[in-house]
Amino acid sequence: MQRPNSRSGQPTSRPPRSNAARPEPEQGPRRPRPRSQSLATGQRSLGDPAVHYSLWPPLINGCPRTSTDAVAYPLEVDYAYDRVPADLFGRPAAHGLERWAPLLPPLAAPGLGEGNTPLVQLPDGVYIKDESRNPTWSHKDRLNRVAVSAAKASGARGVVVASSGNHGAAAAAYAARAGLPCVVIASPSAPPAVASFVRAYGALVVTGPHESWKPLTRRIVEEFGYQPVSSLTTTAHTGHPFGPEGYKTIAYEIFLDLGETPEAVYVPTGYGELLFGVWKGFHELTLLGLADRAPRLYACEPAAAGALTTAIRTGRPAAQVPVGPTEAYGISCPVGGYRGVVAVRESRGAALTVTDEQMAAARDELAGQGMWVELSAAAGLAGLRARREDPARPGDASGPVVCVTTSSGFKDNATATPAPEPTVPADWDTVAAALRGLAG
């Protein structure tokens, strides 16, 4: 198949890069590139795609040249697309992101068999991309395989993450696998099951109010030489520049499993990293000549927050919003990021908000099909159901529709607390009556 030139086929459909030398963002010794099949060539600002940097070091504070006092712009990774092996997408399916190494930053740390999660079809034909089947039961394993690899390759003394849920668990697991110490900064109200999960990997768990997370993370970075795998910026979410690259592989897998591009993909959305990664993966498929289009992406946020929905509605690159009460703690984010805006705009999709009740109904629907997900993870299916029921919104055109579910029901706040409903006592008459009720 014909390959796009890496200087003209850019992932955000922007003008081609110039031939000017890339500026070095920081002083200090250059670290050697780890041995890898990676075809990554550098970092590029999403705020101005003409601004390029070398691949190392990862710019963890966003783009130093295009960010302003009002908004921090994240970086993405460039690749030599014209050198991608012709058989990459024809190779046998396998667990582990090594499968996609040419289109990822260098994987310097060992993995845990992440990825290759199932695509499950519901009775009405909707497909569920079930990310709860990853090693720590969430999509965050894909991000952390890449981000922890960057920390390992950069010579960081450890990794630090501010998270009360999936991100903390995945970072702790991949840090342990890489032989790096890990600090997880979490809320005192973090789900007890998740806190136990994190400690099992040997991570140091520090609890404190949300406003203390970023200052404490920065101090750990500056004084102890740890690399953050969560965002340090306050005016917009940037996060680790390599992290969303791991999410691209979700798009690759959906495309190969379906044998075509879906009509639409509905994605639970907090900061927008997952949304952007899924979009970029599909866009890369078009650059490589494998697909003729990318699907429409629908960001599905809790109605109690909705930072991306606000940014899209007001035409801003990112927005900050108050967060109301919600059990969808995994995606209830007070600040958005520009990645989400790019994904919605470039895919001609939309940002939707869903209530806790709509997410609970979607979670119950999935459980009825044998998939147990946390409330936040059901936001994608909730967004699809709400959109299809709204007469003011057009339906999807013909073609497969995919909803991403991000994590296991193990991660919800109610898990590991006393069961809200009584169990059936071991009395035959009672058991028989219950069984007759199930049959009816």
Side-chain angles (χ1 to χ4, degrees):
M1 63 186 171
Q2 186 177 5
R3 306 286 187 193
N5 186 286
S6 63
R7 292 185 178 271
S8 61
Q10 293 300 317
T12 51
S13 303
R14 301 294 190 176
R17 73 180 79 170
S18 69
N19 292 322
R22 296 174 181 170
E24 293 295 337
E26 297 181 16
Q27 299 298 320
R30 294 280 300 276
R31 297 194 179 277
R33 177 190 297 246
R35 296 186 64 186
S36 168
Q37 302 175 56
S38 173
L39 296 176
T41 59
Q43 300 173 83
R44 179 161 58 92
S45 173
L46 283 183
D48 180 352
V51 175
H52 294 265
Y53 302 94
S54 61
L55 188 62
W56 302 101
L59 297 180
I60 58 178
N61 288 295
C63 178
R65 290 174 56 187
T66 60
S67 296
T68 67
D69 291 340
V71 62
Y73 286 100
L75 285 296
E76 69 168 319
V77 178
D78 271 336
Y79 298 88
Y81 291 106
D82 53 346
R83 293 172 51 203
V84 173
D87 67 341
L88 180 61
F89 286 84
R91 297 173 185 174
H95 292 285
L97 293 194
E98 295 85 359
R99 165 79 168 77
W100 307 110
L103 287 172
L104 294 173
L107 298 174
L112 290 165
E114 61 286 330
N116 197 26
T117 55
L119 193 65
V120 182
Q121 191 172 21
L122 298 182
D124 67 348
V126 171
Y127 288 91
I128 303 298
K129 181 62 170 172
D130 187 3
E131 287 294 287
S132 74
R133 313 290 186 92
N134 279 299
T136 73
W137 310 336
S138 92
H139 65 304
K140 290 291 184 180
D141 289 348
R142 297 183 192 253
L143 181 152
N144 277 285
R145 174 70 196 283
V146 175
V148 172
S149 285
K152 186 78 171 179
S154 300
R157 295 180 181 177
V159 298
V160 55
V161 58
S163 167
S164 288
N166 295 313
H167 200 4
Y174 282 83
R177 178 73 168 143
L180 293 174
C182 178
V183 177
V184 178
I185 305 170
S187 166
S189 61
V194 176
S196 298
F197 202 18
V198 170
R199 289 188 176 92
Y201 295 122
L204 175 65
V205 180
V206 179
T207 57
H210 193 272
E211 58 269 20
S212 71
W213 288 9
K214 283 187 174 65
L216 185 57
T217 301
R218 289 193 196 96
R219 191 155 188 178
I220 292 171
V221 170
E222 293 166 1
E223 296 192 20
F224 286 86
Y226 282 35
Q227 190 169 118
V229 294
S230 56
S231 189
L232 292 179
T233 53
T234 56
T235 56
H237 184 277
T238 53
H240 197 291
F242 291 11
E245 301 298 309
Y247 291 143
K248 298 188 309 186
T249 59
I250 294 175
Y252 303 161
E253 292 170 16
I254 290 173
F255 179 77
L256 290 181
D257 282 348
L258 289 177
E260 63 178 316
T261 301
E263 179 66 30
V265 181
Y266 289 74
V267 183
T269 300
Y271 294 120
E273 290 178 300
L274 173 61
L275 187 76
F276 176 80
V278 171
W279 173 78
K280 185 175 179 181
F282 279 113
H283 188 65
E284 285 179 334
L285 290 167
T286 68
L287 293 180
L288 295 170
L290 295 167
D292 59 0
R293 60 179 177 83
R296 295 182 187 273
L297 291 187
Y298 293 93
C300 302
E301 300 179 287
L308 178 56
T309 302
T310 300
I312 295 292
R313 186 181 68 247
T314 59
R316 287 180 281 169
Q320 299 188 40
V321 296
V323 175
T326 177
E327 289 298 315
Y329 74 93
I331 53 175
S332 59
C333 302
V335 59
Y338 186 57
R339 288 188 183 97
V341 172
V342 171
V344 169
R345 181 190 67 210
E346 298 292 334
S347 73
R348 306 178 315 283
L352 315 172
T353 58
V354 289
T355 65
D356 280 22
E357 291 74 21
Q358 289 170 319
M359 286 184 278
R363 181 186 59 189
D364 292 347
E365 179 184 348
L366 291 166
Q369 294 297 317
M371 290 171 280
W372 184 44
V373 304
E374 73 165 292
L375 190 70
S376 298
L381 181 59
L384 169 66
R385 297 302 186 215
R387 186 170 179 272
R388 285 186 170 178
E389 292 171 2
D390 187 347
R393 287 175 173 158
D396 297 312
S398 59
V401 173
V402 178
C403 297
V404 179
T405 57
T406 49
S407 57
S408 165
F410 171 81
K411 310 293 183 70
D412 261 329
N413 281 306
T415 304
T417 59
E421 298 179 2
T423 58
V424 175
D427 169 76
W428 173 246
D429 290 340
T430 306
V431 171
L435 289 172
R436 284 191 289 270
L438 287 176

